Amino acid sequence: MLKIGCHLSASKGYSNMADVIHKIGGNTFQFFTRNPRGGKAKDINEEDIRKFHEKAKEYGIEIILAHAPYTLNCASANEDIRKFAKETMQDDLRRMEYTPNNLYNFHPGSHVGQGADVGIKYIINILNEVITESQTTTILLETMAGKGSEIGKNFEELKQIIDGIKLKEKVGVCLDTCHVNDAGYDVINNLDNVLEEFDRIIGLDKLKAIHINDSKNPIGAHKDRHEKIGDGTIGIEAFERIINHPKLRDLPFFLETPNELDGYEKEIKQLKQLYKN
Ligand code: FE
Ligand code: FE
Ligand code: ZN
């Protein structure tokens, strides 16, 4: 069965997100661990977590993906910004253990001037400080579009980060279809080659989730503007190949398209219809 869901608001808690995704036809979801611009996370409500686990079982929700605030920058030249990123991740990972064995995605960061190699070193240092032997959460590095000085615009940079991690089994990659398109990978006409390249450089065993987004921009644009499924430059035929690809079809897919719930419901339905069971 296709594991498909979308980004949801976490403001009403975990059990509410389970209800919402089930209602619109999905069986997994993504949410921000706190206000996407940073700030303090809400306290975990244990009763909400208990209800969530019950509903997850009932609805067949096997996996969920938490997204770190996109303003975190582990690669910053500024020590205070890196310290904030580290403490936020530590707090998020602690909270994630209330829903064990799930995924935590973050944007590797932007080096804003001091160079990718220095930025990558900072990211590695933070990850090695926050990752613990006992955590059950897998931390995912997201593939980025290469806007500005973003790190993670190619598979080599992600591999360089993973190589520096001591507890490598705790990290993986989330591939965003809009971002890799904008970064210059041809998932429209050459999906096999892109996945072979991913396998050769990072290893497909590290690929744990897909952000399934169309793009407003052509391949290589380095823009990062998501579009609704089928309305962008990637197109519906490419998405049909992506969700059915033997190397991808068992992964969870998360929509981050410009939609309200009714739009997400339509896209989930459409993708489920295109999935070959
Ligand atoms: Fe993201
Ligand atoms: Fe994404
Ligand atoms: Zn994006």
Side-chain angles (χ1 to χ4, degrees):
M1 198 170 40
L2 178 63
K3 294 190 194 91
I4 180 78
C6 62
H7 190 89
L8 294 179
S9 161
S11 63
K12 291 185 187 144
Y14 287 83
S15 145
N16 173 261
M17 289 190 279
D19 283 335
V20 170
I21 201 65
H22 181 65
K23 186 152 174 278
I24 65 172
N27 51 16
T28 182
F29 58 86
Q30 173 179 276
F31 61 100
F32 284 123
T33 52
R34 62 191 69 220
N35 183 309
R37 306 211 138 268
K40 202 176 172 298
K42 269 203 296 187
D43 285 338
I44 289 278
N45 174 337
E46 297 202 25
E47 174 62 11
D48 176 41
I49 295 282
R50 193 191 58 73
K51 272 202 233 148
F52 166 74
H53 281 122
E54 250 174 48
K55 287 176 177 173
K57 208 167 166 194
E58 183 189 337
Y59 300 153
I61 298 170
E62 291 172 13
I63 193 135
I64 58 174
L65 173 58
H67 196 307
Y70 49 71
T71 47
L72 283 200
N73 188 4
C74 296
S76 174
N78 180 315
E79 202 185 325
D80 291 336
I81 293 178
R82 294 201 307 275
K83 181 165 178 271
F84 175 77
K86 184 184 95 179
E87 287 170 359
T88 300
M89 284 179 108
Q90 275 170 330
D91 187 47
D92 283 348
L93 288 170
R94 179 186 63 76
R95 299 155 52 80
M96 292 282 301
E97 290 302 318
Y98 286 89
T99 53
N101 303 305
N102 283 303
L103 306 168
Y104 177 68
N105 175 69
F106 79 111
H107 297 179
S110 296
H111 64 76
V112 285
Q114 83 278 29
D117 284 341
V118 177
I120 285 170
K121 201 186 76 196
Y122 290 149
I123 297 166
I124 291 170
N125 288 346
I126 290 183
L127 286 174
N128 279 329
E129 282 181 86
V130 303
I131 295 173
T132 61
E133 199 105 41
S134 63
Q135 80 180 54
T136 64
T137 302
T138 303
I139 301 179
L140 305 184
L141 304 156
E142 183 166 354
T143 61
M144 301 310 291
K147 198 174 47 166
S149 62
E150 268 174 359
I151 292 170
K153 61 182 182 297
N154 56 45
F155 301 155
E156 285 82 358
E157 288 182 353
L158 296 177
K159 167 67 172 167
Q160 220 181 313
I161 297 170
I162 295 169
D163 276 346
I165 307 299
K166 289 190 203 115
L167 298 168
K168 289 187 178 49
E169 69 277 14
K170 308 288 188 189
V171 295
V173 173
C174 173
L175 185 142
D176 185 310
T177 56
C178 167
H179 296 177
V180 291
N181 171 79
D182 288 20
Y185 291 99
D186 190 356
V187 292
I188 307 166
N189 303 300
N190 260 320
L191 180 61
D192 277 326
N193 289 358
V194 174
L195 295 178
E196 271 164 33
E197 192 173 336
F198 188 103
D199 196 32
R200 184 164 36 81
I201 295 166
I202 301 175
L204 276 170
D205 60 314
K206 283 288 176 213
L207 185 55
K208 305 293 185 193
I210 307 284
H211 281 166
I212 183 164
N213 303 309
D214 215 327
S215 174
K216 286 195 196 295
N217 291 287
I219 180 169
H222 301 298
K223 288 278 203 232
D224 189 2
R225 298 278 313 281
H226 301 190
E227 182 53 283
K228 294 191 173 83
I229 297 297
D231 286 357
T233 55
I234 298 179
I236 194 68
E237 287 86 9
F239 287 114
E240 182 174 1
R241 289 191 289 274
I242 288 168
I243 59 172
N244 286 296
H245 194 285
K247 300 268 163 67
L248 305 179
R249 55 180 289 116
D250 295 326
L251 294 172
F253 293 87
F254 302 89
L255 293 156
E256 302 174 305
T257 44
N259 275 306
E260 302 295 326
L261 284 178
D262 58 337
Y264 280 134
E265 183 170 16
K266 269 188 219 143
E267 291 184 348
I268 288 170
K269 193 172 166 201
Q270 188 182 20
L271 291 169
K272 278 163 85 176
Q273 280 168 349
L274 292 172
Y275 191 71
K276 298 175 182 82
N277 280 299

